Amino acid sequence: MASTKHTSSSPFSLLGRVAIVTGAAGGLGRAFCLALAAAGARLVAADLSEEGARQTAEAVTAAGGEAVAVAVDVTNPTEIERMATTTLGRWGQVDILVNNAGLYATLSRRPFYELPVEEWERVMAVNLKGPWLCACAVYPAMKKQGYGRIINVASATFFSGSPLWSHYVASKGGLIGLTRSMAREVGDDGICVNAIAPGFTLTEASRSVMPNAEAYGVARGAIKRAEQPDDIAGLVVFLASDASNFITGQTMVVDGGRHLY
Ligand SMILES: NC(=O)c1ccc[n+]([C@@H]2O[C@H](COP(=O)([O-])OP(=O)(O)OC[C@H]3O[C@@H](n4cnc5c(N)ncnc54)[C@H](O)[C@@H]3O)[C@@H](O)[C@H]2O)c1
């Protein structure tokens, strides 16, 4: 049987790379940290929840990887700057940024004309301004290195126009727009910017909003089973690696073929 062990000569290897993952306390973010570390990257697990980020860093270390935990509010430029400085202080470089932190399960489900203004502003601040601020903070180092990968976690709800949480859908649509525009600005710096649009994926957060989460949407899929965080992690590793050198400005839907756009 062929070995799946990564070597530095494999274009899929992340050996020598340093990755920041926001929203790393659990769910998709933790799965991304573990997958990036398994491919060889050193990790900064960043989250509003310091304890959750620490647990993820410990899980990476227990699996044989290297990780540090950082507490960050992605709406706060000072804390984001500290996250970037801590990364550079610890590892001397930053190659990969996964903008995964987002408000999702805690949001109201209501008609657009009943959404509270404060909630609209908060979701835009976390889901859209946050990724922009994080990208701004790592860009100087990526430009200097001549290498960077920015991966924005959007949502398939943008394409399906999922009703009753238009603020969430609009924030993820904005993130897809940000991805496209930033990609064109930094291509000559050796930086690729792409987005991932997961379908309904089983995490603690998604289970908390959907009573029968395991069955939700499964019948509609080309692949008839529930989506798991690891179904998306492979794409994150690919987009973080040299193997995706000529892919930028794209949004990739990972939903087992529930919607074919
Ligand atoms: N689970 C799904 O079905 C699904 C589908 C499509 C997209 N997504 C997106 O994937 C991402 C992760 O989702 P998840 O299901 O793992 O949910 P989750 O709630 O477990 O993850 C979100 C993380 O972001 C962190 N966070 C929230 N506000 C923050 C802030 N201001 N600063 C820093 N961190 C902050 C939270 O503490 C949490 O750990 C989100 O962006 C979500 O919108 C999820």
Side-chain angles (χ1 to χ4, degrees):
M1 197 173 143
S3 167
T4 54
K5 193 167 166 46
H6 288 280
T7 64
S8 52
S9 61
S10 160
F12 298 97
S13 171
L14 299 180
L15 283 173
R17 300 289 183 205
V18 172
I20 297 175
V21 177
T22 68
L28 295 183
R30 183 168 295 174
F32 297 162
C33 286
L34 288 164
L36 290 164
R42 288 162 287 169
L43 258 297
V44 173
D47 203 285
L48 197 57
S49 162
E50 191 167 12
E51 173 59 17
R54 193 182 55 74
Q55 286 175 8
T56 295
E58 282 175 7
V60 168
T61 310
E66 291 180 81
V68 292
V70 170
V72 70
D73 177 347
V74 298
T75 68
N76 182 322
T78 309
E79 292 187 19
I80 292 168
E81 213 43 61
R82 200 185 57 210
M83 174 180 76
T85 311
T86 303
T87 307
L88 290 168
R90 174 67 189 253
W91 307 116
Q93 65 196 76
V94 54
D95 307 291
I96 301 152
L97 167 67
V98 184
N99 276 317
N100 168 74
L103 289 184
Y104 162 61
T106 53
L107 297 173
S108 317
R109 307 293 162 108
R110 305 185 205 192
F112 69 89
Y113 46 85
E114 288 179 7
L115 289 171
V117 172
E118 303 70 37
E119 193 173 292
W120 177 279
E121 287 173 348
R122 183 73 190 148
V123 73
M124 291 301 163
V126 177
N127 293 12
L128 185 51
K129 186 173 85 173
W132 167 63
L133 287 172
C134 290
C136 292
V138 298
Y139 172 64
M142 288 183 173
K143 181 179 163 68
K144 207 164 145 200
Q145 294 160 192
Y147 184 95
R149 295 285 184 271
I150 298 173
I151 301 165
N152 294 322
V153 180
S155 166
T157 58
F158 169 71
F159 297 102
S160 62
S162 186
L164 299 178
W165 51 341
S166 53
H167 49 354
Y168 177 78
V169 176
S171 72
K172 295 300 189 180
L175 188 54
I176 289 170
L178 181 70
T179 301
R180 293 165 64 92
S181 184
M182 281 198 322
R184 294 191 66 136
E185 292 184 30
V186 299
D188 279 346
D189 298 321
I191 302 170
C192 297
V193 189
N194 290 291
I196 290 178
F200 183 80
T201 310
L202 292 180
T203 62
E204 257 181 52
S206 65
R207 284 176 200 273
S208 72
V209 287
M210 197 60 69
N212 191 8
E214 277 79 4
Y216 179 74
V218 166
R220 277 203 313 273
I223 301 169
K224 296 199 191 319
R225 64 167 173 79
E227 185 165 352
Q228 304 287 342
D230 281 347
D231 291 322
I232 307 154
L235 180 58
V236 172
V237 172
F238 170 66
L239 290 176
S241 76
D242 286 351
S244 62
N245 267 346
F246 208 56
I247 301 173
T248 196
Q250 305 303 309
T251 299
M252 274 149 259
V253 176
V254 183
D255 72 347
R258 283 187 195 179
H259 301 92
L260 298 179
Y261 303 99

